Amino acid sequence: MPLSTIVEKSKLGDPNRLPEFVGRLRPDITDTKARVLFEIKPDNAEGRAEARLQAGRYLEALNAAIEPHPPFTGGTGFDGSLFLDFEQGGALWQLSWRTPEPGVTLYRWSYRRKRPGASWKERAAQAQLELPFDEVEKRGQVVEQLLRDAFDGGSISGEFPGDVYLPVDCH
């Protein structure tokens, strides 16, 4: 959601205080009740630097538009992972995310090789391998829609060719 819409809908300030270009910027995650913001990028030095820069710009713009209300800050404590089992054991992917500094959330995809007859827990214990970029691109849209469905509606589409194991399932 654009910054101008966030300010307007949350009734925290005056969206007219945002320059037009700045008002169109879209932070990745903004919680107007908790007044926190997260910018999500790949877990590497370039991603971390970009997330830090963008989160800083978004926070500066948001806080300029909402004063005298309490300011937004960079969110913390957003860490976790989930497993996706594609093709009934053909590919076990793991999406991990961490927030090493306020407002900066970094993610990493990894996978485990197929092991015939092994349970997903046994495969999860295998060494992680970096997921090739072409595979991420190939399946990224499927995974994005799956995650949106799971978190928005609480269910996973019957069209997904595999299983999802959330952290609670991993114990």
Side-chain angles (χ1 to χ4, degrees), residues 6-120:
I6 292 167
V7 171
E8 183 178 345
K9 287 191 174 201
S10 64
K11 299 182 178 162
L12 290 174
D14 182 0
N16 295 321
R17 292 173 73 178
L18 295 169
E20 183 180 344
F21 170 74
V22 172
R24 291 191 308 241
L25 297 175
R26 295 175 176 265
D28 289 328
I29 300 174
T30 308
D31 184 333
T32 58
K33 290 183 179 162
R35 293 207 173 105
V36 295
L37 179 141
F38 295 91
E39 194 58 27
I40 303 169
K41 298 289 181 238
D43 192 353
N44 57 41
E46 182 181 308
R48 188 174 189 157
E50 187 177 347
R52 182 184 299 132
L53 180 66
Q54 287 181 349
R57 287 181 181 164
Y58 297 153
L59 288 168
E60 184 179 340
L62 262 175
N63 289 331
I66 67 164
E67 60 182 15
H69 294 286
F72 276 77
T73 60
T76 59
F78 187 55
D79 304 285
S81 68
L82 59 85
F83 288 93
L84 298 118
D85 187 355
F86 283 100
E87 301 163 6
Q88 290 73 47
L92 184 65
W93 288 20
Q94 182 179 10
L95 172 61
S96 305
W97 58 93
R98 63 190 184 96
T99 304
E101 59 188 83
V104 174
T105 297
L106 304 175
Y107 70 89
R108 178 178 303 271
W109 282 105
S110 62
Y111 76 107
R112 279 78 170 161
R113 294 181 198 255
K114 183 175 183 173
R115 281 186 48 204
S119 72
W120 75 269

Side-chain angles (χ1 to χ4, degrees), residues 42 86 93-95 107-111 130-144:
F86 283 100
W93 288 20
Q94 182 179 10
L95 172 61
Y107 70 89
R108 178 178 303 271
W109 282 105
S110 62
Y111 76 107
E130 288 298 311
L131 195 62
F133 184 76
D134 61 330
E135 278 294 306
V136 172
E137 286 292 307
K138 181 177 159 185
R139 307 223 189 182
Q141 291 180 344
V142 172
V143 172
E144 179 181 357

Side-chain angles (χ1 to χ4, degrees), residues 146 148-157:
L146 170 74
R148 286 184 189 280
D149 292 347
F151 286 104
D152 291 344
S155 65
I156 295 170
S157 168

